[in-house]
């Protein structure tokens, strides 16, 4: 009876290692590219004259799954800036739907500053971005600027979550 018990534990242990170890150190998880690197060729960086810049748009996102990953790859950051007229942080994006079906997209952006900077992370979200199959659509995500300066402490924005339905 003890040998069967030991064998069952060994099989369970091997199965557990096979299931969790198969992903490797870079798979699964919630890496949202906060380092600014991107595994997607659709993203990139963009610097404006006011010092703010675009971030990456690819990679794995919190809430994972292939649908979320596909939605994130469909989003390209065109510009991140501070609008002094409205006192908002603004992210301009393009959503490219390469599928044949029409989708509504929901995108969440995070605005941050450099390491050791004074920028308090800010978040903007937009839902219901309708994109026909095989087409692209532009959208603007905004969030109020809570600082007292010119917004120059915000140097990066990135997609933190994207979904389509």
């Amino acid at each position: 009876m003890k040998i069967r018990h030991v064998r069952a534990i060994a099989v369970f242990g091997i199965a557990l290692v096979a299931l969790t170890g198969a992903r490797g150190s870079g798979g699964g998880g919630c890496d949202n590219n906060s380092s600014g690197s991107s595994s997607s060729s659709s993203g990139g960086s963009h610097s404006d004259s006011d010092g703010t810049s675009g971030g990456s748009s690819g990679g794995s996102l919190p809430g994972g799954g292939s649908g979320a990953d596909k939605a994130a790859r469909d989003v390209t950051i065109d510009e991140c800036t501070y609008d002094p007229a409205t006192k908002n942080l603004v992210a301009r994006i393009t959503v490219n739907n390469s599928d044949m079906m029409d989708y509504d997209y929901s995108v969440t952006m995070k605005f941050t500053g450099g390491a050791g900077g004074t920028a308090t992370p800010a978040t903007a979200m937009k839902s219901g971005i309708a994109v026909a199959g095989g087409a692209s659509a532009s959208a603007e995500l905004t969030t109020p600027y809570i600082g007292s300066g010119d917004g120059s402490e915000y140097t990066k924005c990135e997609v933190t979550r994207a979904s389509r339905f």
Side-chain angles (χ1 to χ4, degrees):
M1 183 94 165
K2 287 186 177 187
I3 293 176
R4 276 193 233 176
H5 183 70
V6 171
R7 200 177 325 163
I9 290 174
V11 169
F12 174 77
I14 291 170
L16 184 61
V17 170
L19 291 174
T20 60
R23 289 187 294 181
S25 61
C30 296
D31 176 19
N32 65 1
N33 289 323
S34 60
S35 66
S37 63
S38 175
S39 61
S40 169
S41 61
S42 65
S45 292
H46 174 79
S47 294
D48 296 339
S49 59
D50 66 354
T52 58
S53 64
S56 61
S57 65
S60 300
L61 298 173
S66 61
D69 291 342
K70 175 64 175 152
R73 286 190 299 269
D74 291 350
V75 178
T76 301
I77 299 169
D78 299 319
E79 178 181 35
C80 290
T81 188
Y82 168 70
D83 182 357
T86 61
K87 297 192 184 320
N88 284 329
L89 297 172
V90 180
R92 291 180 182 89
I93 63 170
T94 300
V95 181
N96 180 23
N97 179 3
S98 59
D99 287 353
M100 298 307 292
M101 293 182 59
D102 298 351
Y103 287 106
D104 286 342
Y105 286 78
S106 177
V107 179
T108 303
M109 302 286 298
K110 183 177 180 182
F111 297 84
T112 57
T118 60
T120 302
T123 302
M125 183 189 162
K126 184 161 187 128
S127 294
I129 305 168
V131 186
S136 295
S138 296
E140 191 172 277
L141 288 75
T142 62
T143 190
Y145 172 65
I146 57 172
S148 59
D150 62 0
S152 62
E153 68 271 28
Y154 289 93
T155 59
K156 179 180 165 187
C157 72
E158 63 185 314
V159 174
T160 56
R161 186 175 299 263
S163 60
R164 64 184 191 181
F165 44 95

